[in-house]
Amino acid sequence: DVSVDIDNENGTQLVNSTATGPFFYIDLPTGKYDVKASFDNQTEEIKNLNISKDHSTKELLHWNLSDNQMS
């Protein structure tokens, strides 16, 4: 359960969702975005993610989990 927030370049929040699986797919229009994803009190961010017309973009966010959390 990863909390995902996506803001456009003007700071307007476009997405506030929870990803329940290991992948989160979204179709965004051309532009620049800030992405913030939070899990287990850890937050990962991508600033100025550039989405261009007719191109797909793949970004990976990774959380280091201790052995205690994985059992």
Side-chain angles (χ1 to χ4, degrees):
D1 293 336
V2 176
S3 172
V4 179
D5 296 312
I6 302 175
D7 298 347
N8 67 14
E9 60 190 325
N10 297 322
T12 301
Q13 186 176 64
L14 302 177
V15 175
N16 178 294
S17 185
T18 300
T20 57
F23 301 104
F24 181 80
Y25 296 98
I26 189 165
D27 187 11
L28 294 168
T30 300
K32 290 187 179 182
Y33 301 90
D34 290 336
V35 179
K36 186 186 295 185
S38 300
F39 176 74
D40 194 34
N41 295 320
Q42 298 179 52
T43 300
E44 297 289 331
E45 292 185 77
I46 301 170
K47 296 282 191 182
N48 296 314
L49 175 64
N50 189 30
I51 304 297
S52 55
K53 185 177 181 179
D54 298 327
H55 290 92
S56 63
T57 300
K58 178 173 70 173
E59 292 290 333
L60 176 66
L61 298 174
H62 181 266
W63 285 263
N64 290 320
L65 303 176
S66 70
D67 290 336
N68 293 339
Q69 292 174 319
M70 300 199 55
S71 54

